[in-house]
Amino acid sequence: MSRPDADMKDERMPPHLGIVADDVTGATTVAALLAHAGVSNAVLLDPSYCQGDEGSGYDAVVVSTDSRALLPEEARVRVAAATRSLLEAGATLFSKRTDTTSRGGIGYEVEGMLSQLDEDYVAVLVPAMPQSKRIVVGGYSLIDSVMLEFTGVATDVRTPVHESHLPTLIGSQLTQELEHISICDVLGGEQSLIRRFTEARSQGCRVFLADAASLADVELIARVLVGLGWKVVCVDPGPFTQAFALASGITTHAKVDKPPLRTEPQPYERGTAVVVVGSATAVTNTQMRSLLDQEGSVALSVRIAPLVCGGQRLREESERVLAELDRSWDESRPPRVVVVGLESSLTGCLVDIDRIETEAGIERGVGAANVAARLGQIGREVIDRIGGARLAGTYFTGGDVMVNTCHAMEAKGLSLEGYVIPQADQGRIVGGPFAGLPVVGKGGLTGGPLTAIHIVNRLFDERKVS
C-alpha cells in the first residue's frame, strides 16, 4: 500500500512503526505482510533516509542494515544507529525483523536495538511464520516438519545455522538472560501467558522467546502483550509484528483490489517493461524462457566476466548490450518486454566466478558483489535508453540485483502494496527520477513456470502509459 494522498493526512506525519531488518529482502517481506493488512509502508534503502521526505507520511518504515553476515559488534552498532534514526523520525513502536531460518546475529542485534530505547522496553521473540510452515515448539525450530539444523540452512555459505533449539542459539548471542515461554504456556490461553510474562518480568527479565505453532498462537501472544501495556520490541520474521501493530491500533487503509493473474497480453497495454535478472536458479531460467517465448520479448544477455573485472571490459560490455537493444528496437513496434539478464540466468549454465577472479587477480569474494552492482548499472543504462516516459515498470529477480538496480536508479526505497504471488512482492519506487514506478521483486526460487509472465502482466495493469 503506497503513501496515502496528501489531502488524507499530514505528509510530515512520523511513522508509527519502525522496523530494522538485516537485509532488504527481509524488509520487503515484512512490508508486504503489513501492506496485506492495509498498513501503508516504505522500505528505505538507507537508514539516513528516515530524516528526509521519503520516510514521512507512512504508518510503517522499514530500514535495512545489511548486517546478517557481519561480526557481532559491527552488527550491534549498525542496528543501534538504525534504531536512533527511527527514533529521531518519530517512531513509537519498534520491531527487529529476523530471518525465517534464524540466520545472523539475532541476539547481538536485539541488544543493539534495546540499547537505544528506555529501560521499560522488553524484547519478545516470536520466530514462527506458520503461513510459510515455520513453527517453534519446545524452543525447537521446525521448517515444514524438519528440524532447522537438518535443512539447507546448515550449509548456507555466509551464515550457516547448526542449532535447532532457539533459546540455546539466540541465548548464546545475548549478554542477558533469555526467558523461554513454552507452547504449554501459549496453549494455556490468555491468563496462562499473562502469568508467565509477568512472573519473569518481575524477576528482571527483559528478553523473551515464545513458541508458536499457528497464526492464532502468534495473535494471542500479541494481544496479551498489548493488554499488559508493555513497551515491546517485536523480534520476528513478520507475523508477530503485524499482529502486534494491528492490536496496538496502527492505522489501516482500505485495500485496492489488484487485477487477477493473467498469461496473455492485452490490447490496452502500452510501454515497455524492463526485467533485470541475476538469479541463476533452474526456477528462474524456466521462468525467463517462458517469458521470452512471448511475442515482443527481447533478451539482452550480459556476460559475467566483464562485470567481475570492470574497467575497459565493462565499458565495452555495456556498449555491446546497448547496441543490441538499439538493433532490436523498431519505433513502429518497440519491444513489449526487455530482459537484461546474466548469461547464466538466461542459459542456465553456471559461470565459475572464482576462476575469473583468480585469472584477473581479484580478491576472492569481490567478484560476486561486482556482478550485482554492475548489472544494476547496465539495467539503469537500458532504462535510460528506453526512456522513463515509456517505462511500464521494472521487475527484479534476486535480492542483490533488486538493491543494486534500485541504487542505480537513484531510488530511496520501495513502498510495498502486497504481492503478485507470496514472496513476489509488489510496490512502487520511492524517491529519485522514477518515483511511483510499479516494481516487483522476487527471489530466485519463488514461483512456477508462468510466474514471470504473471508479474510482467501485473506491471502493465498497474502502469498506464499513453
Side-chain angles (χ1 to χ4, degrees), residues 171-314:
S172 69
Q173 301 166 353
L174 292 165
T175 61
Q176 52 193 301
E177 292 297 318
L178 180 151
E179 184 72 16
H180 177 216
I181 307 296
S182 75
I183 193 69
C184 294
D185 298 316
V186 177
L187 295 178
E190 183 174 333
Q191 293 306 315
S192 168
L193 280 173
I194 291 173
R195 185 168 54 253
R196 282 288 291 118
F197 275 115
T198 53
E199 284 176 357
R201 184 72 182 119
S202 67
Q203 296 169 9
C205 182
R206 202 180 171 200
V207 182
F208 303 82
L209 188 151
D211 290 352
S214 68
L215 280 177
D217 293 342
V218 174
E219 291 164 0
L220 173 63
I221 296 165
R223 287 199 307 274
V224 164
L225 291 167
V226 171
L228 287 171
W230 287 7
K231 293 181 175 179
V232 173
V233 174
C234 301
V235 185
D236 74 305
F240 178 53
T241 293
Q242 181 197 51
F244 190 88
L246 293 175
S248 298
I250 194 170
T251 304
T252 58
H253 307 273
K255 291 186 292 183
V256 177
D257 290 335
K258 296 298 184 184
L261 300 181
R262 60 180 174 87
T263 56
E264 298 299 325
Q266 295 297 317
Y268 59 77
E269 293 174 358
R270 298 288 185 276
T272 298
V274 173
V275 183
V276 184
V277 189
S279 167
T281 66
V283 172
T284 297
N285 179 251
T286 299
Q287 292 169 347
M288 289 303 113
R289 283 193 282 111
S290 297
L291 179 62
L292 290 167
D293 280 344
Q294 290 207 320
E295 186 177 356
S297 295
V298 169
L300 302 177
S301 179
V302 182
R303 292 177 294 205
I304 291 177
L307 303 186
V308 173
C309 299
Q312 182 61 26
R313 292 182 67 180
L314 175 62

Side-chain angles (χ1 to χ4, degrees), residues 414-428:
L414 306 171
S415 177
L416 276 294
E417 299 175 343
Y419 43 75
V420 181
I421 63 169
Q423 296 184 296
D425 301 325
Q426 176 187 346
R428 294 179 186 275

Side-chain angles (χ1 to χ4, degrees), residues 44-78:
L44 301 181
L45 298 177
D46 190 301
S48 66
Y49 298 155
C50 290
Q51 312 308 320
D53 290 341
E54 291 80 12
S56 66
Y58 296 98
D59 292 304
V61 168
V62 193
V63 297
S64 170
T65 49
D66 194 22
S67 52
R68 184 175 297 170
L70 294 182
L71 294 172
E73 181 59 16
E74 193 175 350
R76 191 192 67 77
V77 169
R78 198 174 286 190

Side-chain angles (χ1 to χ4, degrees), residues 100-425:
T100 58
T101 54
S102 299
R103 290 176 294 175
I106 294 172
Y108 312 123
E109 297 196 354
V110 166
E111 292 198 327
M113 203 158 191
L114 288 176
S115 72
Q116 301 304 306
L117 303 172
D118 68 56
E119 293 189 353
D120 288 338
Y121 273 93
V122 299
V124 179
L125 291 78
V126 184
M129 193 167 187
Q131 58 266 63
S132 296
K133 300 182 179 179
R134 272 84 164 144
I135 65 172
V136 180
V137 176
Y140 288 91
S141 174
L142 294 163
I143 310 297
D144 198 8
S145 303
V146 177
M147 285 283 189
L148 178 63
E149 65 194 271
F150 300 126
T151 67
V153 73
T155 56
D156 185 81
V157 175
R158 300 179 72 196
T159 51
V161 178
H162 303 292
E163 175 60 71
S164 300
H165 191 250
L166 299 186
T168 300
L169 173 69
I170 297 171
S172 69
Q173 301 166 353
L174 292 165
T175 61
Q176 52 193 301
E177 292 297 318
L178 180 151
E179 184 72 16
H180 177 216
I181 307 296
S182 75
I183 193 69
C184 294
D185 298 316
V186 177
L187 295 178
E190 183 174 333
Q191 293 306 315
S192 168
L193 280 173
I194 291 173
R195 185 168 54 253
R196 282 288 291 118
F197 275 115
T198 53
E199 284 176 357
R201 184 72 182 119
S202 67
Q203 296 169 9
C205 182
R206 202 180 171 200
V207 182
F208 303 82
L209 188 151
D211 290 352
S214 68
L215 280 177
D217 293 342
V218 174
E219 291 164 0
L220 173 63
I221 296 165
R223 287 199 307 274
V224 164
L225 291 167
V226 171
L228 287 171
W230 287 7
K231 293 181 175 179
V232 173
V233 174
C234 301
V235 185
D236 74 305
F240 178 53
T241 293
Q242 181 197 51
F244 190 88
L246 293 175
S248 298
I250 194 170
T251 304
T252 58
H253 307 273
K255 291 186 292 183
V256 177
D257 290 335
K258 296 298 184 184
L261 300 181
R262 60 180 174 87
T263 56
E264 298 299 325
Q266 295 297 317
Y268 59 77
E269 293 174 358
R270 298 288 185 276
T272 298
V274 173
V275 183
V276 184
V277 189
S279 167
T281 66
V283 172
T284 297
N285 179 251
T286 299
Q287 292 169 347
M288 289 303 113
R289 283 193 282 111
S290 297
L291 179 62
L292 290 167
D293 280 344
Q294 290 207 320
E295 186 177 356
S297 295
V298 169
L300 302 177
S301 179
V302 182
R303 292 177 294 205
I304 291 177
L307 303 186
V308 173
C309 299
Q312 182 61 26
R313 292 182 67 180
L314 175 62
R315 286 189 287 275
E316 291 174 357
E317 181 65 5
S318 174
E319 291 169 0
R320 184 191 66 77
V321 169
L322 292 175
E324 194 172 335
L325 173 65
D326 292 343
R327 285 193 295 273
S328 71
W329 200 270
D330 179 350
E331 282 298 342
S332 64
R333 196 175 186 184
R336 176 176 179 267
V337 180
V338 172
V339 177
V340 186
L342 295 179
E343 55 184 307
S344 53
S345 305
L346 301 181
T347 64
C349 299
L350 297 180
V351 174
D352 187 348
I353 293 180
D354 291 347
R355 179 184 57 77
I356 298 172
E357 289 174 332
T358 300
E359 291 176 354
I362 295 173
E363 181 183 351
R364 184 65 63 89
V366 173
N370 287 347
V371 167
R374 289 163 177 166
L375 178 64
Q377 292 170 11
I378 291 178
R380 168 64 190 267
E381 291 169 4
V382 167
I383 287 169
D384 284 343
R385 185 66 63 96
I386 292 172
R390 181 170 176 80
L391 200 57
T394 54
Y395 156 32
F396 310 122
T397 292
D400 288 344
V401 169
M402 178 175 70
V403 172
N404 283 285
T405 310
C406 283
H407 279 307
M409 294 173 70
E410 303 171 65
K412 304 297 185 188
L414 306 171
S415 177
L416 276 294
E417 299 175 343
Y419 43 75
V420 181
I421 63 169
Q423 296 184 296
D425 301 325

